[in-house]
Amino acid sequence: VKGKHRFIHASETHPRIRTRPAAMALLLAVHLVPTLACPSTCWGHTCDHWVETSGKTCAELRENGCECSGCACGDATSPAPSPGQPTPTPPGSRRKILCLHGGGGTGPGFEIGFALSALAAEFDLVFPTAPQSGLWIRDPPGGKDVPTEDEDWASVAVAHLNEIVQSQGPFYAILGYSQGAAFVPVYLAQVPSGTFQLAALFCGYLPTTHNGLVRRINARAPFDGIASLHFMATNDPIITTGMSDEAAAKFSSPVVLVSPTAGHALPSSNDPTYPSVLAFFLSSPLLPRPPPPSLPLPPPPSSLLFFKPPKPPAPPPLAPALCVDDSIVCPHANDGECDDGGDGSLYALCPYGRDCADCGARVAPPPPMAPPPLPALCPPDKQWIECGRVGRCNNDGRCAGRTQTHEVRCCSDTEIGGWSKRHASCPWAESDDGMGGCHHSKTFPEAEAICAAAGARLCTKDELTSDCTRGTGCGHDRDLIWSSGDTAPGSAGAEGEQDATPEEDGMEGEAPKAEEAGKEDEAAKPEGWSSSWG
């Protein structure tokens, strides 16, 4: 137990499930459709107000103003199910879960790769698409270092979900992944109590680059005690468990599940936390609450009040080769996030046009990259040093004597296990893994020898100025780093390539690797993490 958090491991039964392990196995074996025993309960019942119905007899339900039929209720027209057979879910009692995709994704793309599709046996799953280029919360207009103060910054997305809740609700639960998880507390802070009974955040965090939204969250937390699940993974390279813990702390008695195997994704069926995730959703009454009060729809931004721009023309037909879901060359295909490096992409991890379900049809090849700028030239006895992260050092890059001492980061044109590749134009980079630890205050010859011993090389000036090495550890984001002083073929030097991974699922600032948590200089952590991190 850590504070109010409840950590659950694979050997435990969910705290809200009062069954033995054998009963849990039966629950999963019948495809998640609960078996309600007769004559202690009845499966057909309606109530004109919300009451706890799980495990109550017909007489107890009627005492609470409910109408019952079937099983022990004495209704001959509604016989009990055959022994050992799953009880069907009564008509009209299927609950709904609102499922929010990660930043830059789409509802249909999230649905295709939804790892918890087993929930569809018991629930209706609704997958909306974020209204603004796949983002639930837009990035700050002043950049990653200038947080917004507007408490209505996400009003367009809030209004969009309000319309869905009004037209398709009531909803039993709200589920969010990555940036969708960051938006869950933002939305709960702006809707009436009882709009949802459960909240589930997968790879979640707080939108700390939007001060106004955080103030809204703090004002409503813990959201009237709503039951909440918080899934995080020790191998998540994007969202650390510490970031997810900060979001969980906004809820009362959060259920925290930590996967030892998953990455930045929903748990798969072989994940040890998977049964507990399903049990969280299945351990509550069968009937939904009455519809919540009418939800206010905030007005759109003033710039949209007076005209509606015409729709863009339809794109030309697409060549088949530019719309392929190829899991061999694109292992991230169909994961709900666009990964092919084109317009709207979160990552450049797949060949262009090979993540069609997430990115949509590509109608033209990607534009050619601009040639890299010429490297700075230094005298023969000097070498170029550059900041480990753009804009974070007190001094600009410059020529330095080779016997001076500075910090070391290394790059490799071929993949090295555990090293990071920030975008398609970057090499693999690292500060300590496979290098014998962190290296501070080294001369230029010593730096060259350290990288050579790791089977790598010093990074070029252009690779450093394109942030290819940022966030790789040792607190070097604020240090001047030795460079090779030249521009390697294919190195990242094109203007704008710093954004080739658009805030990596929408988050701004440095995303430290999970294994570097606690190792990176705390001062190197940006002022708040973007709410757009998906």
Side-chain angles (χ1 to χ4, degrees), residues 364-419:
M369 293 177 56
L374 293 176
L377 299 178
C378 294
D381 61 338
K382 294 184 178 182
Q383 200 71 23
W384 190 264
I385 55 174
E386 185 59 58
C387 187
R389 178 173 175 183
V390 175
R392 288 304 175 99
C393 295
N394 294 328
N395 299 309
D396 295 330
R398 65 181 186 276
C399 292
R402 295 189 174 202
T403 59
Q404 293 183 13
T405 57
H406 296 285
E407 321 317 311
V408 182
R409 281 180 167 172
C410 300
C411 291
S412 173
D413 299 315
T414 58
E415 183 175 2
I416 298 178
W419 289 34

Side-chain angles (χ1 to χ4, degrees), residues 48-262:
D48 58 6
H49 61 286
W50 178 252
V51 296
E52 173 70 39
T53 63
S54 178
K56 283 186 169 54
T57 65
C58 182
E60 289 172 325
L61 288 171
R62 283 176 174 159
E63 288 177 359
N64 285 278
C66 303
E67 293 297 327
C68 307
S69 63
C71 207
C73 299
D75 184 351
T77 62
S78 301
S82 300
Q85 296 298 317
T87 303
T89 302
S93 67
R94 280 181 66 86
R95 297 168 291 180
K96 295 183 179 181
I97 300 177
L98 188 61
C99 305
L100 308 185
H101 60 76
T106 65
F110 190 35
E111 183 177 9
I112 290 173
F114 192 61
L116 301 176
S117 57
L119 290 174
E122 178 67 19
F123 302 96
D124 290 332
L125 307 179
V126 178
F127 296 85
T129 296
Q132 296 175 299
S133 301
L135 297 178
W136 298 106
I137 309 172
R138 294 170 295 124
D139 298 327
K144 55 194 175 186
D145 295 321
V146 186
T148 66
E149 300 294 336
D150 185 3
E151 294 188 2
D152 294 320
W153 183 254
S155 60
V156 173
V158 170
H160 179 61
L161 287 193
N162 284 350
E163 292 175 351
I164 292 172
V165 171
Q166 290 281 32
S167 61
Q168 301 184 44
F171 283 91
Y172 171 64
I174 183 170
L175 178 156
Y177 160 66
S178 198
Q179 191 201 64
F183 187 64
V184 167
V186 174
Y187 189 59
L188 291 177
Q190 303 187 55
V191 297
S193 175
T195 303
F196 305 97
Q197 297 177 47
L198 304 179
L201 283 66
F202 292 83
C203 308
Y205 57 93
L206 291 177
T208 51
T209 55
H210 298 281
N211 293 338
L213 296 183
V214 173
R215 285 196 298 271
R216 273 190 177 270
I217 292 172
N218 291 338
R220 281 293 302 276
F223 313 107
D224 303 301
I226 186 173
S228 65
L229 171 72
H230 302 265
F231 172 86
M232 58 194 75
T234 55
N235 294 329
D236 191 332
I238 299 173
I239 305 300
T240 66
T241 55
M243 295 165 64
S244 294
D245 276 334
E246 290 176 357
K250 300 300 179 182
F251 295 79
S252 60
S253 301
V255 174
V256 176
L257 300 178
V258 182
S259 170
T261 58

